[in-house]
Amino acid sequence: MSLLWAFIVGGLLCVIGQLFIDLTKYTVTPGHILVGYITIGAFLSALGLYQPLVDFAGAGATIPLSGFGHNLAQGTLEAVQTKGVLGIFSGGVEAAAAGITAAIVFGYLAAILFNPK
Amino acid sequence: MTPDSNEERKKIEEQEYQQLVEQVRPRPNILLNCIWAFIIGGLICTLGQLILDYFRAQGMSMEDAGAMTAVSMIFLGALLTGLGWYDELGKKAGAGSIIPITGFANAIVASAMEYKREGYIFGVGARIFSIAGPTLLFGFVAAVIIGLVKYLTMLW
Amino acid sequence: MLSGKKRGLQSIEFLQAPIISSSASVAGPLESKSSWAEDFDWIMEDYLLGESSWERTETKVLQQVIQIALDKQQLSFEDIEVFLAGDLLDQIISSNYTARELKTPFLGLYGACSTMAEAILIGAMLVEGGFFTRLVAAAGSHHYTAERQFRFPTEQGVQPAPYSQWTATAAGALVLEAQGNGPRVSSITIGRIVDMNQKDANNLGAAMAPAAADTIHRHFLDLNRDSDYYDLVVTGDLGLVGQDLLEELFVQQGVVPKPNISDCGVLLYDGIPEVNAGGSGCGCSACMLCGPLLKKMYRGDLQRLLFVATGALMSPTSTNQGESIPGIAHAVAIEI
């Protein structure tokens, strides 16, 4: 069942992005979409609106980049509570550290190993 | 004729031309695009869920399993980009292959790979952030704003 | 003092029309699927041709196409007095490196997709003016060098807009001579920039169509020719969208009778479904002219051709800064 909901919610989140591209005459590029999703995901999460979606759809909500924003936001909120001002700056990156490092290191490795075709 | 009226006439001409362009411009097949985005995006998330379930079954906490899932999906996105498959997927799937975290990995690897011929430091090293940079920047800024607001409300 | 050759505002009619004594074209792997495949002199088996970068391949192709054009007349690089060429890359590096190999005097040109017409019309003036007797005009483009410079890294998964044009992997070259056999460059019209405030870099046809209409209309007025004087008016490269717009603009401007028009970007990708709205890039019109179209003229299937190459003269910087796209079109009349 969790697989089905992951499929449906993940798919729907992608459809919203597709509508942005198609309805804006392709002025919205992948870069815009990624920035938009991470930012909106973070703010929705801070307002408490994203967690229910994660509880419901699991990877369907965390794999889209809005889930990355959700991670940043929740990490920051928790860290502020435990560390105060320091948490404002450290919480987000701490929560997303694995993803960021993986993206950059795997990106680097892939660039070394492969050539564009 | 005054320059003003010349300029106005040009503007009207431009607007009329814009209308003509809008008439002629082919429209994307939004329904078909959305169906593809839904299916591919959905399938990528389903794969994520399978990986998440696997790490959970290994006894990991929800946070750790989530992070490992993200790392695994990024690895897959990077690999498929390196093999030259992800861009083919993207032509069909559109947003369906951009929005999942594999798309983030794809954008990072594609720009890093493209500029390898300009060297490892300023080619790969600098260009790897041409997509990752803006995404992380706005993510961090959002996080700090959220943290700041939270901190202020705690002081209240 | 007015020269005896200038006609109207922007046109020149040659008294001793320069001859296109030889021409050659090269097409990429995708372009070779078109129905013109037999008319290309050489088809690239892949996009890299054993080179270490796409930029080097683009240079190699440009050199090859010139070599083929010269070989047809048993000429060598030393027989060329001037070399005129351009491409799409920053600072036209492909042409610069090609000229380095040729070792002939070189004028580098940038006119985006209009480069081939720009090269021919300058070359024709140099020859007819009596300054030189034999020169080469060439232009080329490569899909992946252009993608990376103007759009996205090649491996990034991006859905192209349904009206976007495909930058051709192709090149064309021709030899212009004061004497010899072959079609003549009988007149030219130098285009002016027409900018209708189009800002969508995915829709270059729309940015260039007004310039094409302006130049074609001006050509007929300047030379006092009927608009059905030519067997074919071929633009390059408006694509499907731009071609539709050009027809509309002819109606608006009262260009009657309607000239028989076609477009290099549409012709080159006829029947290739991967390409949405036709081709673009310097190589597209250069390859169509120097291959299929001139071959038709050598065979006598085409008597009077007006070649109107169009260019969208934006840069990645101007696009990012939201500036509109300046369009240009140059016309070259070629007759048997």
Side-chain angles (χ1 to χ4, degrees), chain C residues 53-64:
Chain C
S53 72
W54 286 313
E55 286 74 10
R56 278 173 167 263
T57 315
E58 187 174 313
T59 304
K60 184 176 188 173
V61 169
L62 203 49
Q63 277 174 33
Q64 277 293 332

Side-chain angles (χ1 to χ4, degrees), chain B residues 39-130:
Chain B
I39 293 174
I40 306 280
L43 284 176
I44 294 173
C45 292
T46 311
L47 179 65
Q49 184 67 42
L50 282 170
I51 296 174
L52 183 70
D53 289 346
Y54 169 77
F55 284 121
R56 288 286 284 158
Q58 300 293 306
M60 279 192 187
S61 73
M62 195 64 199
E63 274 93 58
D64 287 356
M68 274 310 287
T69 307
V71 170
S72 313
M73 294 300 281
I74 287 168
F75 175 77
L76 285 177
L79 182 68
L80 292 181
T81 305
L83 293 172
W85 297 350
Y86 208 88
D87 63 321
E88 297 300 325
L89 188 70
K91 281 175 194 161
K92 265 256 176 300
S97 63
I98 295 170
I99 290 167
I101 201 157
T102 45
F104 180 59
N106 165 249
I108 289 174
V109 175
S111 33
M113 227 158 66
E114 188 72 49
Y115 289 92
K116 184 159 76 166
R117 285 157 189 153
E118 290 171 23
Y120 284 96
I121 294 180
F122 290 108
V124 177
R127 301 289 187 152
I128 203 168
F129 285 99
S130 63

Side-chain angles (χ1 to χ4, degrees), chain C residues 5-335:
Chain C
K5 297 167 190 170
K6 190 180 164 203
R7 301 280 179 271
L9 294 173
Q10 293 167 233
S11 303
I12 290 170
E13 189 169 16
F14 296 122
L15 302 176
Q16 291 160 316
I19 308 291
I20 300 174
S21 63
S22 176
S23 74
S25 61
V26 171
L30 180 65
E31 290 72 15
S32 68
K33 291 190 207 162
S34 73
S35 51
W36 309 100
E38 283 176 14
D39 289 329
F40 301 129
D41 294 289
W42 183 45
I43 284 169
M44 298 162 62
E45 53 268 33
D46 64 63
Y47 284 101
L48 215 48
L49 300 175
E51 295 292 327
S52 60
S53 72
W54 286 313
E55 286 74 10
R56 278 173 167 263
T57 315
E58 187 174 313
T59 304
K60 184 176 188 173
V61 169
L62 203 49
Q63 277 174 33
Q64 277 293 332
V65 79
I66 293 162
Q67 185 77 58
I68 298 169
L70 293 176
D71 284 349
K72 287 183 181 177
Q73 288 290 313
Q74 282 98 44
L75 297 169
S76 64
F77 289 165
E78 292 82 52
D79 300 315
I80 301 307
E81 291 165 313
V82 190
F83 171 50
L84 301 164
D87 56 82
L88 285 178
L89 300 187
D90 288 338
Q91 287 77 40
I92 51 169
I93 47 170
S94 303
S95 304
N96 300 343
Y97 288 127
T98 304
R100 183 177 66 184
E101 302 306 314
L102 262 61
K103 298 189 174 63
T104 53
F106 165 59
L107 289 172
L109 307 170
Y110 186 81
C113 312
S114 73
T115 306
M116 195 62 198
E118 189 179 354
I120 298 172
L121 64 83
I122 293 174
M125 288 189 283
L126 291 176
V127 168
E128 212 257 355
F131 303 105
F132 297 99
T133 55
R134 186 187 288 133
L135 54 80
V136 163
S141 55
H142 189 295
H143 181 71
Y144 291 110
T145 61
E147 278 297 301
R148 123 194 211 161
Q149 182 171 311
F150 290 99
R151 296 188 185 93
F152 300 102
T154 43
E155 292 298 336
Q156 195 170 337
V158 185
Q159 211 166 31
Y163 41 86
S164 65
Q165 291 174 248
W166 178 276
T167 308
T169 307
L174 53 79
V175 181
L176 275 177
E177 296 196 61
Q179 284 165 344
N181 292 316
R184 299 167 295 121
V185 178
S186 58
S187 56
I188 58 167
T189 300
I190 300 177
R192 49 181 188 163
I193 298 269
V194 179
D195 188 334
M196 293 297 272
N197 201 28
Q198 290 294 303
K199 293 181 176 171
D200 186 353
N202 282 318
N203 197 353
L204 296 180
M208 300 186 289
D214 185 70
T215 299
I216 295 170
H217 194 191
R218 176 49 58 192
H219 180 81
F220 293 138
L221 290 177
D222 282 353
L223 294 163
N224 202 14
R225 278 181 184 164
D226 292 331
S227 46
D228 58 357
Y229 176 86
Y230 296 97
D231 300 329
L232 182 64
V233 175
V234 66
T235 52
D237 317 298
L238 296 179
L240 288 167
V241 178
Q243 199 176 26
D244 286 352
L245 288 167
L246 181 63
E247 300 224 14
E248 282 292 326
L249 291 169
F250 279 155
V251 175
Q252 283 182 12
Q253 295 177 358
V255 179
V256 280
K258 192 174 101 52
N260 181 21
I261 61 168
S262 193
D263 181 76
C264 295
V266 175
L267 291 173
L268 183 58
Y269 293 96
D270 189 23
I272 302 180
E274 289 97 318
V275 174
N276 288 333
S280 65
C282 313
C284 183
S285 58
C287 150
M288 273 309 290
L289 176 72
C290 298
L293 293 171
L294 278 175
K295 280 192 178 165
K296 273 189 181 199
M297 299 199 82
Y298 285 115
R299 288 196 298 260
D301 297 345
L302 200 58
Q303 310 278 332
R304 292 166 170 174
L305 172 73
L306 187 65
F307 174 64
V308 187
T310 58
L313 303 179
M314 78 294 186
S315 80
T317 309
S318 69
T319 305
N320 287 343
Q321 292 179 352
E323 301 292 342
S324 60
I325 301 168
I328 198 161
H330 301 297
V332 174
I334 303 172
E335 300 181 58

Side-chain angles (χ1 to χ4, degrees), chain A residues 15-75:
Chain A
V15 168
I16 296 170
Q18 187 66 42
L19 288 173
F20 268 106
I21 296 176
D22 283 353
L23 298 176
T24 55
K25 298 205 282 181
Y26 291 79
T27 45
V28 169
T29 65
H32 294 101
I33 293 272
L34 291 173
V35 168
Y37 265 66
I38 200 169
T39 315
I40 291 168
F43 284 116
L44 286 179
S45 173
L47 295 171
L49 298 173
Y50 207 83
Q51 189 61 46
L53 197 64
V54 174
D55 295 340
F56 179 65
T62 55
I63 293 297
L65 222 61
S66 42
F68 202 69
H70 166 67
N71 251 348
L72 287 172
Q74 290 308 316

